[in-house]
Amino acid sequence: MTNRFNRFLNSLEIDPNSDPENHRLLDRDKCFTLAWLSFNRKKRTYQKLMKDCKLESFERCEEIIQELIDLRILRTARSRSVRGARSR
């Protein structure tokens, strides 16, 4: 993946103001991705994320991250969404 996408991945953080009710909506992939992001705070890459969380594609990573942002569990200072990072 390009550095641009990895920079976006590294800009993600867990939103401390997230509503715990939203956490019940997490499936296996979202739980693993969220845990991976919380334990790997630096030098994140999509390749590592896909390998460690056993995700089948870059598109699936994007989908999960966007869903976590939409649920307001993740946030980023650089962009409002994965789609926003793509358009840059």
Side-chain angles (χ1 to χ4, degrees):
M1 300 296 116
T2 66
N3 286 336
R4 174 176 43 141
F5 290 116
N6 290 331
R7 279 193 306 271
F8 173 74
L9 190 62
N10 282 301
S11 74
L12 295 171
E13 59 185 32
I14 296 171
D15 187 344
N17 300 316
S18 69
D19 183 358
E21 285 297 312
N22 290 340
H23 298 202
R24 293 199 281 157
L25 303 172
L26 302 180
D27 59 17
R28 177 216 175 269
D29 288 347
K30 288 186 197 92
C31 285
F32 275 57
T33 300
L34 187 59
W36 187 87
L37 290 167
S38 68
F39 287 108
N40 296 282
R41 294 183 177 206
K42 295 184 180 186
K43 298 184 181 179
R44 297 173 181 155
T45 67
Y46 279 95
Q47 292 88 352
K48 290 180 190 176
L49 175 61
M50 287 188 292
K51 180 183 175 210
D52 293 347
C53 295
K54 297 184 174 147
L55 301 173
E56 66 275 359
S57 67
F58 171 74
E59 289 76 20
R60 180 67 181 137
C61 292
E62 283 187 308
E63 180 182 311
I64 291 168
I65 289 170
Q66 185 60 54
E67 289 172 9
L68 290 169
I69 291 170
D70 291 345
L71 289 169
R72 295 189 172 153
I73 295 172
L74 286 181
R75 67 181 182 185
T76 179
R78 294 182 184 200
S79 175
R80 293 190 48 138
S81 68
V82 172
R83 292 184 224 43
R86 257 196 172 171
S87 65
R88 287 182 172 181

